[in-house]
PDB file of all heavy atoms in Angstrom:
ATOM      1  N   LEU A 286     -18.649   5.248 -15.176  1.00 98.00           N
ATOM      2  CA  LEU A 286     -17.438   5.620 -15.911  1.00 98.00           C
ATOM      3  C   LEU A 286     -16.205   4.944 -15.310  1.00 98.00           C
ATOM      4  O   LEU A 286     -15.284   4.545 -16.028  1.00 98.00           O
ATOM      5  CB  LEU A 286     -17.272   7.139 -15.906  1.00 98.00           C
ATOM      6  CG  LEU A 286     -18.306   7.914 -16.730  1.00 98.00           C
ATOM      7  CD1 LEU A 286     -18.175   9.410 -16.480  1.00 98.00           C
ATOM      8  CD2 LEU A 286     -18.156   7.614 -18.225  1.00 98.00           C
ATOM      9  N   THR A 287     -16.176   4.800 -13.984  1.00 98.00           N
ATOM     10  CA  THR A 287     -15.045   4.124 -13.347  1.00 98.00           C
ATOM     11  C   THR A 287     -15.041   2.633 -13.678  1.00 98.00           C
ATOM     12  O   THR A 287     -13.984   2.044 -13.943  1.00 98.00           O
ATOM     13  CB  THR A 287     -15.080   4.343 -11.829  1.00 98.00           C
ATOM     14  OG1 THR A 287     -15.154   5.751 -11.568  1.00 98.00           O
ATOM     15  CG2 THR A 287     -13.833   3.767 -11.170  1.00 98.00           C
ATOM     16  N   LEU A 288     -16.218   1.999 -13.673  1.00 98.00           N
ATOM     17  CA  LEU A 288     -16.312   0.606 -14.091  1.00 98.00           C
ATOM     18  C   LEU A 288     -15.753   0.417 -15.492  1.00 98.00           C
ATOM     19  O   LEU A 288     -14.995  -0.524 -15.767  1.00 98.00           O
ATOM     20  CB  LEU A 288     -17.774   0.156 -14.075  1.00 98.00           C
ATOM     21  CG  LEU A 288     -18.344  -0.373 -12.770  1.00 98.00           C
ATOM     22  CD1 LEU A 288     -19.872  -0.457 -12.865  1.00 98.00           C
ATOM     23  CD2 LEU A 288     -17.768  -1.735 -12.435  1.00 98.00           C
ATOM     24  N   THR A 289     -16.117   1.317 -16.399  1.00 97.00           N
ATOM     25  CA  THR A 289     -15.630   1.231 -17.777  1.00 97.00           C
ATOM     26  C   THR A 289     -14.120   1.400 -17.825  1.00 97.00           C
ATOM     27  O   THR A 289     -13.415   0.685 -18.539  1.00 97.00           O
ATOM     28  CB  THR A 289     -16.321   2.299 -18.647  1.00 97.00           C
ATOM     29  OG1 THR A 289     -17.737   2.128 -18.560  1.00 97.00           O
ATOM     30  CG2 THR A 289     -15.890   2.181 -20.098  1.00 97.00           C
ATOM     31  N   GLY A 290     -13.590   2.343 -17.032  1.00 98.00           N
ATOM     32  CA  GLY A 290     -12.145   2.551 -17.009  1.00 98.00           C
ATOM     33  C   GLY A 290     -11.394   1.339 -16.509  1.00 98.00           C
ATOM     34  O   GLY A 290     -10.336   0.982 -17.051  1.00 98.00           O
ATOM     35  N   ILE A 291     -11.930   0.679 -15.485  1.00 98.00           N
ATOM     36  CA  ILE A 291     -11.231  -0.462 -14.890  1.00 98.00           C
ATOM     37  C   ILE A 291     -11.054  -1.592 -15.901  1.00 98.00           C
ATOM     38  O   ILE A 291     -10.108  -2.377 -15.808  1.00 98.00           O
ATOM     39  CB  ILE A 291     -11.985  -0.939 -13.632  1.00 98.00           C
ATOM     40  CG1 ILE A 291     -11.830   0.091 -12.508  1.00 98.00           C
ATOM     41  CG2 ILE A 291     -11.479  -2.289 -13.153  1.00 98.00           C
ATOM     42  CD1 ILE A 291     -12.658  -0.208 -11.277  1.00 98.00           C
ATOM     43  N   GLU A 292     -11.932  -1.690 -16.875  1.00 98.00           N
ATOM     44  CA  GLU A 292     -11.831  -2.772 -17.853  1.00 98.00           C
ATOM     45  C   GLU A 292     -10.479  -2.783 -18.574  1.00 98.00           C
ATOM     46  O   GLU A 292      -9.996  -3.839 -18.981  1.00 98.00           O
ATOM     47  CB  GLU A 292     -12.973  -2.671 -18.864  1.00 98.00           C
ATOM     48  CG  GLU A 292     -14.334  -2.960 -18.247  1.00 98.00           C
ATOM     49  CD  GLU A 292     -15.484  -2.803 -19.220  1.00 98.00           C
ATOM     50  OE1 GLU A 292     -15.230  -2.390 -20.379  1.00 98.00           O
ATOM     51  OE2 GLU A 292     -16.632  -3.090 -18.833  1.00 98.00           O
ATOM     52  N   THR A 293      -9.864  -1.628 -18.718  1.00 98.00           N
ATOM     53  CA  THR A 293      -8.563  -1.550 -19.405  1.00 98.00           C
ATOM     54  C   THR A 293      -7.395  -1.329 -18.447  1.00 98.00           C
ATOM     55  O   THR A 293      -6.274  -1.078 -18.886  1.00 98.00           O
ATOM     56  CB  THR A 293      -8.577  -0.419 -20.455  1.00 98.00           C
ATOM     57  OG1 THR A 293      -8.814   0.837 -19.785  1.00 98.00           O
ATOM     58  CG2 THR A 293      -9.646  -0.663 -21.509  1.00 98.00           C
ATOM     59  N   LEU A 294      -7.652  -1.417 -17.140  1.00 98.00           N
ATOM     60  CA  LEU A 294      -6.606  -1.115 -16.151  1.00 98.00           C
ATOM     61  C   LEU A 294      -5.323  -1.921 -16.349  1.00 98.00           C
ATOM     62  O   LEU A 294      -4.233  -1.335 -16.360  1.00 98.00           O
ATOM     63  CB  LEU A 294      -7.159  -1.325 -14.735  1.00 98.00           C
ATOM     64  CG  LEU A 294      -6.163  -1.137 -13.584  1.00 98.00           C
ATOM     65  CD1 LEU A 294      -5.715   0.320 -13.490  1.00 98.00           C
ATOM     66  CD2 LEU A 294      -6.794  -1.592 -12.265  1.00 98.00           C
ATOM     67  N   PRO A 295      -5.370  -3.242 -16.514  1.00 98.00           N
ATOM     68  CA  PRO A 295      -4.107  -3.981 -16.667  1.00 98.00           C
ATOM     69  C   PRO A 295      -3.294  -3.538 -17.880  1.00 98.00           C
ATOM     70  O   PRO A 295      -2.067  -3.414 -17.800  1.00 98.00           O
ATOM     71  CB  PRO A 295      -4.565  -5.441 -16.800  1.00 98.00           C
ATOM     72  CG  PRO A 295      -5.939  -5.477 -16.226  1.00 98.00           C
ATOM     73  CD  PRO A 295      -6.534  -4.138 -16.499  1.00 98.00           C
ATOM     74  N   LEU A 296      -3.969  -3.289 -18.985  1.00 98.00           N
ATOM     75  CA  LEU A 296      -3.264  -2.837 -20.182  1.00 98.00           C
ATOM     76  C   LEU A 296      -2.652  -1.458 -19.979  1.00 98.00           C
ATOM     77  O   LEU A 296      -1.502  -1.201 -20.359  1.00 98.00           O
ATOM     78  CB  LEU A 296      -4.228  -2.802 -21.369  1.00 98.00           C
ATOM     79  CG  LEU A 296      -4.802  -4.142 -21.822  1.00 98.00           C
ATOM     80  CD1 LEU A 296      -5.890  -3.920 -22.865  1.00 98.00           C
ATOM     81  CD2 LEU A 296      -3.708  -5.031 -22.377  1.00 98.00           C
ATOM     82  N   ARG A 297      -3.425  -0.570 -19.361  1.00 98.00           N
ATOM     83  CA  ARG A 297      -2.926   0.786 -19.161  1.00 98.00           C
ATOM     84  C   ARG A 297      -1.731   0.817 -18.222  1.00 98.00           C
ATOM     85  O   ARG A 297      -0.753   1.526 -18.470  1.00 98.00           O
ATOM     86  CB  ARG A 297      -4.047   1.686 -18.613  1.00 98.00           C
ATOM     87  CG  ARG A 297      -5.099   2.033 -19.643  1.00 98.00           C
ATOM     88  CD  ARG A 297      -6.089   3.065 -19.124  1.00 98.00           C
ATOM     89  NE  ARG A 297      -7.044   2.519 -18.170  1.00 98.00           N
ATOM     90  CZ  ARG A 297      -7.056   2.747 -16.889  1.00 98.00           C
ATOM     91  NH1 ARG A 297      -6.117   3.537 -16.332  1.00 98.00           N
ATOM     92  NH2 ARG A 297      -7.980   2.209 -16.097  1.00 98.00           N
ATOM     93  N   MET A 298      -1.794   0.067 -17.129  1.00 98.00           N
ATOM     94  CA  MET A 298      -0.691   0.110 -16.166  1.00 98.00           C
ATOM     95  C   MET A 298       0.605  -0.411 -16.773  1.00 98.00           C
ATOM     96  O   MET A 298       1.692   0.081 -16.449  1.00 98.00           O
ATOM     97  CB  MET A 298      -1.056  -0.663 -14.912  1.00 98.00           C
ATOM     98  CG  MET A 298      -2.195  -0.057 -14.105  1.00 98.00           C
ATOM     99  SD  MET A 298      -2.004   1.705 -13.719  1.00 98.00           S
ATOM    100  CE  MET A 298      -0.615   1.665 -12.587  1.00 98.00           C
ATOM    101  N   GLU A 299       0.517  -1.401 -17.637  1.00 98.00           N
ATOM    102  CA  GLU A 299       1.718  -1.898 -18.301  1.00 98.00           C
ATOM    103  C   GLU A 299       2.367  -0.793 -19.133  1.00 98.00           C
ATOM    104  O   GLU A 299       3.581  -0.584 -19.088  1.00 98.00           O
ATOM    105  CB  GLU A 299       1.339  -3.084 -19.187  1.00 98.00           C
ATOM    106  CG  GLU A 299       2.509  -3.743 -19.892  1.00 98.00           C
ATOM    107  CD  GLU A 299       2.092  -4.948 -20.708  1.00 98.00           C
ATOM    108  OE1 GLU A 299       0.987  -5.481 -20.483  1.00 98.00           O
ATOM    109  OE2 GLU A 299       2.875  -5.370 -21.579  1.00 98.00           O
ATOM    110  N   ARG A 300       1.556  -0.055 -19.877  1.00 98.00           N
ATOM    111  CA  ARG A 300       2.074   1.040 -20.709  1.00 98.00           C
ATOM    112  C   ARG A 300       2.531   2.217 -19.854  1.00 98.00           C
ATOM    113  O   ARG A 300       3.575   2.833 -20.131  1.00 98.00           O
ATOM    114  CB  ARG A 300       0.988   1.475 -21.702  1.00 98.00           C
ATOM    115  CG  ARG A 300       1.373   2.626 -22.640  1.00 98.00           C
ATOM    116  CD  ARG A 300       2.446   2.221 -23.649  1.00 98.00           C
ATOM    117  NE  ARG A 300       2.623   3.260 -24.657  1.00 98.00           N
ATOM    118  CZ  ARG A 300       2.042   3.228 -25.867  1.00 98.00           C
ATOM    119  NH1 ARG A 300       1.266   2.212 -26.205  1.00 98.00           N
ATOM    120  NH2 ARG A 300       2.250   4.204 -26.720  1.00 98.00           N
ATOM    121  N   HIS A 301       1.776   2.542 -18.808  1.00 98.00           N
ATOM    122  CA  HIS A 301       2.181   3.615 -17.897  1.00 98.00           C
ATOM    123  C   HIS A 301       3.595   3.356 -17.363  1.00 98.00           C
ATOM    124  O   HIS A 301       4.455   4.248 -17.365  1.00 98.00           O
ATOM    125  CB  HIS A 301       1.214   3.702 -16.708  1.00 98.00           C
ATOM    126  CG  HIS A 301      -0.008   4.512 -16.935  1.00 98.00           C
ATOM    127  ND1 HIS A 301       0.020   5.857 -17.256  1.00 98.00           N
ATOM    128  CD2 HIS A 301      -1.330   4.171 -16.868  1.00 98.00           C
ATOM    129  CE1 HIS A 301      -1.220   6.312 -17.376  1.00 98.00           C
ATOM    130  NE2 HIS A 301      -2.057   5.314 -17.144  1.00 98.00           N
TER     131      HIS A 301
END
Side-chain angles (χ1 to χ4, degrees):
L286 291 171
T287 306
L288 273 167
T289 304
I291 289 174
E292 292 177 356
T293 61
L294 176 66
L296 295 172
R297 287 187 285 108
M298 294 309 292
E299 183 178 342
R300 180 68 171 262
H301 275 300

